[in-house]
Amino acid sequence: MSLLNEVWQAVKAIGTGMATVHKRVYEEAPTEFYPYVELDLPPVSVQSLALVENEDGTERCIVCLQCERACPSQVISIERHRNPEGKGFLIDRFDIDLVNCMYCSACVEACPVSSIVTIQDFELSTYDLHTLKADIDFLHEQARRSKKWYSPKLGVEIRTEDGRIEKAPPEMQPGGLAELLKPAAEEEES
Amino acid sequence: MSSTIGLEPVLGRSDEMIVNMGPQHPATHGVLRVVIGLEGERITRAVPHIGYLHRNHEKIEESRTYFQVVPFTDRMDYVSGTQNELPVVLAVEDLAGIEVPERAKMIRTMFFELFRIASHLVWMGTAMLDLGAITPFLYTFWDREIILGIVERTAGARMLPNYYTFGGVRRDLHPHFFKDVAEFLDHLEKRMPDYEHLVLENPIVHARTVGVGVLSKERAVARGVSGPVLRASGVAYDVRKAFPYDAYPEVEFEIPTSDAGDTYARFWVRFQEIYQSVKILRQLLEKTPKTGPFKGRAPARLKISGERYRAVENSRGELGVYVVGDGGDKPYRIKHRGAAFSNLQVIPDLFIGAKFSDAIAILSSLDPVFGEIDR
Amino acid sequence: MDLRIKRERLFDEDVYTVHPDDYRALCEQLKKDGFDYPRAISSLDMGYGLRVVLQLTRMSDLAKVEVRTDVSYDVAAVDSVTDLWPGVEWHEREAYDLMGISFRGHPDLRRLLLEEEWDLHPLQKRYDTGGYLIPDWRPADWPDPAPWQEPAPSQEDAAPEGGEGE
């Protein structure tokens, strides 16, 4: 009797398991064919860092060293000199060691002018780690290649087809719900 | 110098065999090494060794400012993301007197519970992997992927988001956050019966876990275990109810407990916790204002003096932190009380007398994460 | 029993600072009072000595208590409380490992996280983050009213029962 019961239990368990597997076979797979399918990462996703220039090619960074001070892994090193004409500072050297960076985006939080931003380019894999010691040209190039980036001060910005930099629509912004809900509330009132 | 394996052979006991389990044994979670004395298939002695993943977080954090400490805490219990940041954030907020807006508290609690579900799903997959079933692992990671996607859309990273900050959270919610979470909860509720079929009602799981590794109520309390391991031994101690923090006073939920104290009870308690998390998340989705402040006023340079112990109930138990400030902008000392660290101490209690194959099942029911144990 | 002890209340915890010789006696008393759940043992380098902080909870009414005791660098040892609360076993080993406080009567006092052969205790303030001795580090003087003595002015009223730091 107990043997029969055990056999029945085993058959039932296998049946339940097979039924569950059967159900899942027809669901859409969560995996993606990575190199062939372009991943649509959210605009706040922190995959790499970049240094944004203005539309006219001038430097946004004012070399205030806030990012260097904020960095928990201490991978940012900046050298600067006083601007001989006018006020402020000019960059001598701006290095980020992307190997030791832990992508916490503390530097982006600290930046007062939204110059250093987070971008969604995750394809930094390399055979030579020295290529990841990013200097200023590397960081500018990263920004020129990216279509959208995020910084807390200015939110998500996008680069349009003709090279202008614009604020992204509220659907892409963190906290964009406030703007999205506003017209609806006004319509309800009227 | 004593032997480094900590387990000397006993003279005249030639029937006992001393076996190393780990640190790279494929059936253990992470890098745990247990030196086991075996008599036939029974375990006579067990000495756990940890520290293979030690990074001395506590010393590193002494040389960082309070703002820089938060991303380091993420790296402790890497399966449950933002949950690690909360004790430090709460302790510093207490000491510095920072006010947190109600909405920020609710956002924090929602992320906290999302990561609890994510962590329990990882546990479910890996525990079944330990017991020899591979398919549940694929399914649970599939569902966890959805949670990580929701987290990434708001917090910017999937596993180590560095999202909480003093006075609230770092950035506002993604516009689709509420819709995403509601959809995910519906999806999860459809999936949970499947998981119950595959795990809790599975006769093989029953055979391998019921009555195995029984931890009595008194022993569990004296050993200082917490979380699902403690509740499976019949103690209804949950930091969320005992010392409420954030938005937990405003939501209703129960503490699932079981009196059995065996491996199956620990499995069962974790399942019930997923249901409770779903319940909490549903209430918070209703209650949280769609718009509003997400961050209170916090000074840019925190200077703190005094000391404070704060604890939260993370997926593994009481995750506490003891912050001591000496008036500077860097902590004088930060001590992390790891939940899994304290839970892992019961290994000798549970292993001795069990069969070797049961040891794997017991270990998976403790759900250790070595980033936090070794720190 | 006459304990050399200072009582305080910080936030939601009763804090007892006690002479290292009376540490064990106080712990036995707390065990009798029903504090059954050991949360953690933390260790601190105070600059003049090392501090052990034992944190306990009473499961019946969730009262929290913190026991502190300070020892000097030269005799960095206190009595172990592993037999009262087995759950502090690894916490005591961790304090020994990282801070160099030895616990008399501990059943298995070995290093927990670091290598057995290593002979420095990295959380002490005399070492920098890299583990090197800080050259001009000197221990500070022992504080004048000792940590377990009540401050001089209000001797009787310094132990408020109701709690002021809520």
Side-chain angles (χ1 to χ4, degrees):
Chain A
M1 184 58 206
S2 76
L3 183 70
L4 268 181
N5 192 29
E6 270 180 31
V7 170
W8 164 239
Q9 286 291 331
V11 170
K12 205 174 82 175
I14 292 170
T16 322
M18 293 310 281
T20 312
V21 173
H22 190 75
K23 234 185 333 187
R24 301 273 176 123
V25 167
Y26 301 105
E27 287 185 22
E28 198 188 340
T31 49
E32 283 171 65
F33 286 97
Y34 157 58
Y36 310 107
V37 179
E38 202 173 322
L39 277 182
D40 185 26
L41 291 173
V44 297
S45 181
V46 185
Q47 305 296 340
S48 185
L49 298 169
L51 213 54
V52 178
E53 294 162 298
N54 286 324
E55 282 172 20
D56 52 1
T58 53
E59 192 66 63
R60 255 192 201 183
C61 179
I62 54 170
V63 213
C64 60
L65 308 186
Q66 289 291 339
C67 49
E68 191 181 4
R69 280 187 208 118
C71 182
S73 351
Q74 300 168 349
V75 296
I76 304 179
S77 64
I78 303 171
E79 281 171 19
R80 63 180 183 181
H81 65 272
R82 212 163 252 295
N83 191 354
E85 315 137 17
K87 55 185 179 176
F89 294 91
L90 294 176
I91 304 177
D92 284 337
R93 195 165 63 82
F94 194 117
D95 291 349
I96 301 181
D97 183 358
L98 290 177
V99 180
N100 292 329
C101 175
M102 60 185 193
Y103 300 100
C104 64
S105 72
C107 49
V108 180
E109 301 276 331
C111 184
V113 290
S114 295
S115 167
I116 187 164
V117 295
T118 55
I119 56 170
Q120 287 77 50
D121 181 10
F122 54 88
E123 293 174 322
L124 284 172
S125 58
T126 170
Y127 288 107
D128 183 10
L129 287 184
H130 292 288
T131 57
L132 290 179
K133 302 227 185 284
D135 57 0
I136 187 151
D137 298 328
F138 186 99
L139 294 166
H140 279 158
E141 185 55 37
Q142 295 240 65
R144 282 187 210 114
R145 271 191 290 136
S146 53
K147 296 277 184 294
K148 55 185 194 292
W149 56 80
Y150 172 77
S151 64
K153 297 279 180 317
L154 296 181
V156 179
E157 289 176 292
I158 48 174
R159 195 189 293 280
T160 54
E161 295 288 317
D162 48 345
R164 287 180 298 110
I165 296 172
E166 279 179 1
K167 201 171 164 62
E171 295 88 52
M172 290 165 75
Q173 302 280 4
L177 210 54
E179 225 166 300
L180 286 174
L181 288 176
K182 220 183 281 170
E186 279 166 13
E187 276 168 33
E188 274 173 33
E189 278 171 26
S190 63
Chain B
M1 178 144 302
S2 64
S3 157
T4 47
I5 64 168
L7 194 66
E8 302 290 346
V10 182
L11 280 174
R13 279 196 68 178
S14 56
D15 52 342
E16 192 189 53
M17 188 162 73
I18 291 177
V19 174
N20 249 314
M21 191 173 110
Q24 270 96 28
H25 192 279
T28 57
H29 291 267
V31 283
L32 173 68
R33 173 183 175 209
V34 190
V35 186
I36 288 175
L38 279 177
E39 201 181 272
E41 235 187 300
R42 294 268 162 210
I43 295 174
T44 51
R45 292 183 290 167
V47 178
H49 292 264
I50 61 172
Y52 293 92
L53 212 60
H54 181 57
R55 293 148 289 173
N56 216 338
H57 271 242
E58 291 167 5
K59 186 76 180 178
I60 296 172
E61 285 162 8
E62 281 174 19
S63 61
R64 301 289 190 271
T65 64
Y66 288 99
F67 286 96
Q68 292 174 347
V69 164
V70 177
F72 277 103
T73 57
D74 266 345
R75 270 80 186 158
M76 294 202 312
D77 186 351
Y78 43 78
V79 181
S80 50
T82 56
Q83 294 188 344
N84 302 288
E85 301 161 12
L86 198 55
V88 177
V89 168
L90 287 174
V92 171
E93 276 168 3
D94 274 4
L95 289 170
I98 298 168
E99 293 282 321
V100 187
E102 280 301 305
R103 183 167 180 265
K105 287 185 180 176
M106 288 178 169
I107 294 172
R108 276 189 197 171
T109 312
M110 281 196 283
F111 273 80
F112 205 86
E113 291 301 321
L114 278 176
F115 268 112
R116 187 187 309 280
I117 296 176
S119 171
H120 282 343
L121 286 174
V122 171
W123 159 79
M124 199 193 293
T126 50
M128 291 305 286
L129 209 56
D130 289 350
L131 296 180
I134 292 172
T135 331
F137 173 79
L138 301 172
Y139 294 162
T140 55
F141 269 61
W142 183 337
D143 287 350
R144 173 178 178 253
E145 196 65 24
I146 303 173
I147 298 179
L148 296 185
I150 293 171
V151 171
E152 188 187 16
R153 280 180 130 183
T154 293
R158 294 153 58 81
M159 279 173 74
L160 313 165
N162 183 22
Y163 184 53
Y164 298 167
T165 186
F166 309 115
V169 293
R170 272 182 191 272
R171 54 186 78 136
D172 209 341
L173 295 172
H174 189 272
H176 299 317
F177 179 81
F178 292 93
K179 190 166 69 75
D180 285 348
V181 177
E183 275 174 14
F184 168 72
L185 294 180
D186 292 340
H187 169 82
L188 187 70
E189 281 187 344
K190 266 187 240 144
R191 287 287 170 97
M192 284 309 283
D194 284 358
Y195 293 140
E196 294 223 350
H197 287 317
L198 288 175
V199 182
L200 286 189
E201 294 165 13
N202 188 334
I204 299 172
V205 173
H206 274 259
R208 292 198 57 181
T209 57
V210 174
V212 169
V214 179
L215 186 65
S216 73
K217 190 175 177 176
E218 290 71 31
R219 191 67 184 164
V221 172
R223 267 296 201 182
V225 303
S226 53
V229 185
L230 184 62
R231 291 193 280 276
S233 294
V235 186
Y237 174 69
D238 188 322
V239 185
R240 290 176 290 175
K241 286 267 194 208
F243 308 104
Y245 52 93
D246 277 0
Y248 284 111
E250 293 156 39
V251 292
E252 282 174 20
F253 63 100
E254 290 141 29
I255 308 175
T257 56
S258 163
D259 290 328
D262 61 356
T263 305
Y264 186 79
R266 294 192 273 277
F267 278 35
W268 182 86
V269 164
R270 288 210 175 82
F271 262 83
Q272 301 310 311
E273 281 197 359
I274 296 180
Y275 288 121
Q276 295 302 325
S277 291
V278 171
K279 196 172 158 189
I280 293 170
L281 277 169
R282 286 222 187 274
Q283 293 175 43
L284 283 171
L285 284 181
E286 291 286 313
K287 282 188 178 171
T288 311
K290 297 280 182 288
T291 60
F294 59 95
K295 196 173 167 185
R297 202 171 271 280
R301 273 177 84 82
L302 276 170
K303 287 195 189 294
I304 284 169
S305 55
E307 48 199 272
R308 182 83 172 108
Y309 176 88
R310 273 311 282 264
V312 299
E313 182 76 22
N314 88 339
S315 329
R316 279 160 196 84
E318 177 171 347
L319 181 76
V321 73
Y322 180 60
V323 177
V324 182
D326 60 348
D329 61 347
K330 289 173 183 167
Y332 187 74
R333 171 89 164 93
I334 285 188
K335 151 89 183 175
H336 295 289
R337 185 239 189 246
F341 176 83
S342 294
N343 289 355
L344 204 69
Q345 286 185 82
V346 296
I347 278 189
D349 303 48
L350 297 184
F351 274 22
I352 292 171
K355 281 185 183 159
F356 186 73
S357 56
D358 290 342
I360 308 292
I362 292 167
L363 191 61
S364 70
S365 75
L366 296 177
D367 192 16
V369 168
F370 278 82
E372 183 222 68
I373 291 163
D374 294 344
R375 294 193 291 285
Chain C
M1 204 182 332
D2 200 20
L3 298 171
R4 281 158 289 180
I5 186 170
K6 183 172 79 170
R7 294 184 168 83
E8 289 168 279
R9 187 149 174 101
L10 284 176
F11 296 97
D12 54 351
E13 288 177 287
D14 284 316
V15 180
Y16 303 133
T17 313
V18 71
H19 190 278
D21 293 345
D22 298 342
Y23 171 72
R24 170 86 197 182
L26 178 67
C27 287
E28 277 166 6
Q29 202 178 318
L30 287 172
K31 173 82 180 173
K32 271 194 210 111
D33 289 350
F35 287 93
D36 49 357
Y37 185 70
R39 269 180 290 147
I41 281 191
S42 315
S43 50
L44 255 95
D45 188 338
M46 300 300 290
Y48 55 83
L50 302 172
R51 170 172 284 182
V52 181
V53 182
L54 167 67
Q55 288 155 327
L56 301 167
T57 307
R58 184 159 54 199
M59 277 293 176
S60 53
D61 61 348
L62 298 171
K64 291 205 270 188
V65 69
E66 199 177 299
V67 182
R68 299 176 184 166
T69 183
D70 289 7
V71 290
S72 70
Y73 289 113
D74 306 328
V75 266
V78 291
D79 291 324
S80 170
V81 290
T82 317
D83 50 336
L84 302 177
W85 299 283
V88 299
E89 187 187 332
W90 277 15
H91 291 281
E92 285 188 349
R93 274 177 70 185
E94 192 195 359
Y96 165 70
D97 187 356
L98 300 179
M99 196 61 95
I101 303 165
S102 45
F103 292 86
R104 287 186 290 259
H106 190 282
D108 185 20
L109 195 65
R110 286 179 293 119
R111 279 181 177 266
L112 181 67
L113 297 165
L114 302 173
E115 279 177 62
E116 196 73 35
E117 287 78 21
W118 214 30
D119 59 351
L120 61 85
H121 301 285
L123 278 183
Q124 289 185 358
K125 291 283 177 190
R126 68 181 69 181
Y127 302 108
D128 65 7
T129 316
Y132 299 102
L133 275 173
I134 298 172
D136 50 351
W137 188 89
R138 294 280 173 281
D141 293 333
W142 198 266
D144 190 12
W148 46 82
Q149 281 165 354
E150 299 285 357
S154 54
Q155 270 187 340
E156 303 304 313
D157 307 331
E161 293 299 319
E164 53 187 345
E166 284 288 331

